[in-house]
Amino acid sequence: MRLLFFRATVGLWLAFTAASLAQELPVTAGFGKILFLDPKTKQLDLVLDPKAIYLENECLKAGICTGQNAGQIMDLVYKPMNLQLANQLVPMGYCRERYNAEGLPEWVTPTNIQTEIIEQGGARAVAKVSYEFGQPGTPDGATVARSALRSTKTYTLTRGAACLIVRWKLENVGQTVFELNPWLSHVGGHLEKSLAGLANNRLLQPEGPVNLGHERWADPVTDWTARTSGPTNSEELPMVCSITDFRQVFQHLFWQRSPRFTLQTIYSRIALKPGESWQTDYVIAAMPNLGNVTYVAPELAASVDVADEPLQPGREARLTVNIAAAMELGEKCLKGRVLDANDRPVLELPERPVRLTPGKIARLDYRFTPPSNGVYRLSLALYAGPDKLPLGKIVGSQQDAITLPLVVGPPPAVVIPKWQNDGFAWARRKAREVKPWRTLVNNAVLKAGQILVPDRIFLEDTLLYEDALRPAFIRLAGGEYECLQFAIEIPAPADPMALEVGLSALRNGEGAALEKAEVREQIYLTTETPSYFLGFPIGQWPDPLFESDWEAKIPNAPIAQQNIAFIKKGHKRVYWVTVRAQPDARPGLYKGAVTLTLAGKPAGEFPVEVKVNAFVLPRRATLRCSTGMVGWHGNGASNWEILGLPAEAVKTISKNARDQYWRLILEYGWTPTMFLSGVTSWEEYKNVGRGLSVFPSGKSKGNEAWLITNNVINYAYIYAPFDEHTDQKIPEVVAWAKAWKQESKIPILDCYYGAKVEELFGFVDVWLGQSPKSPWWGKPTPPLGWGDKAVARKQAGDQFFSCNANLIWHVEFVPAECRSEFWNDFAVGVDGRYVYSTCRWTEDVYKKNWTSGNYMGCVVYPGPHGITTSIRLETLRDAVEDYDYLALLRERVRRIDNSRQMPAGPIEQAKAILEDPKLAEKVNTTITLHEMRNRLADLIEQLGL
């Protein structure tokens, strides 16, 4: 219906403007090549799409991909200025889709692509591209996939228009329900010319126009603006606007980091049953640049400049209205008025003629004397004779008049109201009934129960205790950390913040104590939007583990105040005790006690038992785990200041934060790989905790000599400077690697997501992100199922690292399931794991996330005493130690095999575990994880005798 209305409206405009057009050229559609910039030659030599659809009129030339980038506009030329607006350096064009749905990858690979040119050669051209994606399943009487969506984009370009209208339709052509947030990169950006002057990129937010920032989130607002580029009020460079129906929009995301500049629109959540569909219309418009756009519609964009800012009551001001056209509208008339905050007219504006044509900015001056402070709106309607032109009706959600805000005096908190989307609410967590693994205390004052790690207890949980009381219990090896988790309920009317927890030393029968036993409390984070808009409930998620004096240390910090409120409301507190047995700890049982005091009076006590196994973890973690430090803000003051710490404490903590972080990570079997890359730091940190297990390096003969002397050259790497590259980058990688290997013996680590691995044989030493089981690695071979080419590379000395881990992604992920990934590392046989960051903070990590994932890459936090650990970091440590258990058992089996001592029962049980290709599936719940881990410990002890 909207498209029909648009056709009629365009027809009206064309009738009014025909006389002003020197020649009515036909709008064409056809097929052609989209070329891509060769990163080596910087020439348009690479063919991105050999048979793209091209739509062209006197204003725009748009190339629409029909291959693997189906539906993306990868070639967009604004003809009045003869400038390329698409990014020809990276394949991220306009109209690129992303999906955040269970069972769908973030970026989809289109299949069953169909293209059609519907109309061309007259006053308009229309083309359509459709494709499918999803998870194929068993056909049901036809070729319908079990789980599939069809995406269709219909593109319309009309005569005299520098805007392309797109109708996007999603259809569920499978047999399962899809719940998803459609996510579209409306606007891509060129590397240099059309996005020069990034400081002038402007965005309307409810508090007023602001500069676009890196990954800024925004809610849509009335007369929402576009991305702009170039010098202020310039006609030399174009801007690209995306105009959409904001009633369907949830949020926007902006990315500004060379060479990608995108504006992404996240639509409200939809649920499509089989056979159902959803659609929206949007416009990609190009027009001359304006510095401070505060109104945008498919036909035009507008801004207002104030000659003598700021506006003041009683003082006349000259206002200059700037209008850039995206359509050839010809001679028109502007009529308008100034309205106050209650939409009452305070000034009638004189009628003004205006000529609107693509490639030019029209400017009109007005005079306005504000009567008082407040927010006013300059409202201008566009007329062709007696008829008002209904601006913005192509997408149906913009105002039909140009509305420009005028702030007089101090700006209020909200300048521009938000649009209301179609409306939905993210689900909150439903209450659960949880039975503690052991009941520890059950009296009239309080109750306590042990919960096996890494299960989490939420505010909504109801704990169901058994009658029998038992001691709290954990088990660990020499040199190992383990956590004991217990929840304490304090019924009303008692104040749960009056609880104090004490822990005695943990001693064996001879009086010897374990090295470490430290009490921390679980702290809740609050989510308002689920990570990646998936089906996680919003609300409180536990993760940081604060030292037990946090309430006294940071009483006024927002995160502390929030948690005090949560605890008082839920009458429940959750504690984690971190225990470590020194490597030479005598095996056996160690005992201690937890004492509970409420408002200064004894409230309960329970015994704690720790069993130390008769074996010791290896000095260095067997799985070589390393973490980058992307997003590190610990040495800045902001994250410590928001905790309310004194200035001197902030100074001390921020000065030592990086060292504190490194030491914590090294204690837990991980190597920090950013900034830690030279002989001096290697010498300082090589024996901290479990010590360095990787040695990231740069070009340095001194580094190389040290690595060789210390016999760790095979534990080192240089990160090839082609992060997450595809097959297209292989020639560059090879050239760089050849030069490197002529100068250095330090191995090359390459993060590569392509399939042409053979072209990199002999150049890459550590394969990051490549599974040796992938089909391009050749024929699967026993016992691990590796491709024969991967086996050959392993024999030649190559190593394979897993890339990232679910435990660093989002706070909502299930810890036990994520921990099982490391069991799969063992089953697959990889050598290490690299995660891009464990310390990705913002200036206020407790208030603002870095991306659309809640606490993505953030598993350490600013705490009362500096860097603090978390449930996820403790789980990452446990996961590395799980691998150690498996490696110890494997070594026991090998030793027995070599000595031909074959205890039939235990050795057969051990081999059944070690050779199980689906081992991870056996340990993806907390119960099965602990059962298997205890079984491993028993077998290690039995086979070690």
Side-chain angles (χ1 to χ4, degrees), residues 27-178:
V27 187
T28 63
F31 293 94
K33 292 181 181 179
I34 292 180
L35 298 177
F36 199 60
L37 202 65
D38 188 321
K40 290 181 65 177
T41 65
K42 306 302 180 184
Q43 302 296 315
L44 290 175
D45 296 335
L46 303 179
V47 177
L48 183 66
D49 194 324
K51 197 176 182 182
I53 294 175
Y54 271 89
L55 303 181
E56 185 170 4
N57 66 4
E58 60 270 49
C59 297
L60 278 184
K61 178 181 179 182
I64 304 161
C65 287
T66 62
Q68 81 174 64
N69 295 299
Q72 291 191 59
I73 301 171
M74 302 296 294
D75 189 2
L76 187 65
V77 177
Y78 186 47
K79 295 173 71 174
M81 298 177 185
N82 194 32
L83 273 179
Q84 173 64 257
L85 303 179
N87 192 330
Q88 296 179 303
L89 188 62
V90 293
M92 290 188 68
Y94 303 88
C95 311
R96 185 184 190 190
E97 297 167 49
R98 297 174 72 172
Y99 289 92
N100 301 108
E102 301 291 348
L104 278 183
E106 180 181 350
W107 301 107
V108 299
T109 301
T111 60
N112 194 16
I113 302 169
Q114 299 178 16
T115 62
E116 180 183 2
I117 294 176
I118 299 171
E119 182 181 341
Q120 67 98 23
R124 67 177 195 161
V126 182
K128 182 168 68 174
V129 178
S130 67
Y131 40 89
E132 292 182 7
F133 49 86
Q135 304 294 331
T138 304
D140 183 12
T143 57
V144 178
R146 178 180 61 84
S147 179
L149 289 175
R150 172 160 284 275
S151 178
T152 302
K153 296 193 181 85
T154 303
Y155 307 85
T156 300
L157 182 63
T158 64
R159 182 181 291 140
C163 58
L164 192 66
I165 300 99
V166 187
R167 169 157 288 181
W168 182 25
K169 183 178 182 180
L170 289 176
E171 301 171 86
N172 188 342
V173 294
Q175 299 171 329
T176 59
V177 175
F178 269 105

Side-chain angles (χ1 to χ4, degrees), residues 226-512:
R227 169 163 227 144
T228 68
S229 58
T232 301
N233 295 340
S234 170
E235 297 183 37
E236 299 174 359
L237 291 174
M239 64 181 176
V240 182
C241 305
S242 73
I243 303 102
T244 191
D245 185 341
F246 294 116
R247 292 169 301 189
Q248 294 181 314
V249 174
F250 176 65
Q251 279 183 325
H252 295 286
L253 168 67
F254 311 95
W255 179 280
Q256 291 191 87
R257 178 173 291 175
S258 178
R260 290 187 292 164
F261 304 93
T262 61
L263 179 153
Q264 301 184 48
T265 295
I266 302 101
Y267 290 89
S268 298
R269 196 162 186 80
I270 60 173
L272 294 181
K273 298 177 181 177
E276 291 184 340
S277 63
W278 168 90
Q279 72 179 30
T280 190
D281 297 329
Y282 59 90
V283 174
I284 300 296
M287 58 193 79
N289 178 64
L290 300 179
N292 298 294
V293 175
T294 44
Y295 173 83
V296 66
E299 305 84 6
L300 53 81
S303 66
V304 60
D305 295 331
V306 179
D308 300 311
E309 290 189 294
L311 288 171
Q312 295 181 10
R315 189 180 75 179
E316 185 182 71
R318 187 177 78 247
L319 310 177
T320 300
V321 174
N322 312 289
I323 303 177
M327 283 187 174
E328 176 57 61
L329 300 178
E331 295 289 346
K332 294 293 175 287
C333 178
L334 279 172
K335 301 178 183 180
R337 57 180 58 180
V338 177
L339 307 172
D340 66 13
N342 297 312
D343 286 338
R344 292 177 302 214
V346 297
L347 177 65
E348 294 291 332
L349 298 172
E351 295 183 14
R352 294 287 174 81
V354 62
R355 179 172 181 79
L356 300 174
T357 187
K360 298 293 182 182
I361 297 176
R363 293 185 173 87
L364 303 97
D365 286 339
Y366 297 95
R367 298 281 179 173
F368 172 50
T369 302
S372 60
N373 288 339
V375 178
Y376 297 83
R377 287 187 299 119
L378 193 159
S379 178
L380 298 169
L382 193 64
Y383 282 81
D387 299 311
K388 180 181 177 181
L389 296 183
L391 298 175
K393 292 302 180 183
I394 296 171
V395 296
S397 68
Q398 275 68 33
Q399 301 285 347
D400 63 359
I402 300 169
T403 55
L404 304 171
L406 302 169
V407 178
V408 181
V414 175
V415 174
I416 303 142
K418 296 182 183 180
W419 276 106
Q420 296 297 314
N421 60 27
D422 284 340
F424 71 98
W426 298 110
R428 291 188 172 271
R429 186 179 296 104
K430 295 180 180 179
R432 303 183 306 170
E433 291 185 342
V434 177
K435 184 178 180 181
W437 182 60
R438 290 188 172 188
T439 298
L440 307 174
V441 176
N442 191 345
N443 60 37
V445 180
L446 53 76
K447 304 176 189 299
Q450 181 180 354
I451 293 90
L452 291 177
V453 300
D455 273 352
R456 293 172 294 188
I457 294 298
F458 300 100
L459 289 169
E460 302 86 355
D461 291 342
T462 298
L463 300 180
L464 305 177
Y465 301 90
E466 61 183 13
D467 293 333
L469 300 182
R470 291 189 288 172
F473 178 82
I474 55 173
R475 180 178 182 181
L476 74 170
E480 182 182 3
Y481 282 91
E482 187 63 27
C483 287
L484 163 66
Q485 179 185 197
F486 57 90
I488 301 174
E489 289 190 288
I490 305 98
D495 180 5
M497 296 310 300
L499 178 71
E500 293 183 14
V501 177
L503 174 65
S504 70
L506 299 169
R507 301 183 182 278
N508 63 10
E510 299 174 352

Side-chain angles (χ1 to χ4, degrees), residues 36 39 46 48 68 89-91 96 722-734 750-757 759-760 770:
F36 199 60
L46 303 179
L48 183 66
Q68 81 174 64
L89 188 62
V90 293
R96 185 184 190 190
F722 306 92
D723 188 42
E724 298 182 344
H725 71 86
T726 60
D727 292 337
Q728 289 178 320
K729 286 280 187 179
I730 285 179
E732 287 184 81
V733 177
V734 169
D750 187 30
C751 185
Y752 165 50
Y753 291 157
K756 298 180 179 180
V757 292
E759 296 181 26
L760 292 170
Q770 280 284 340

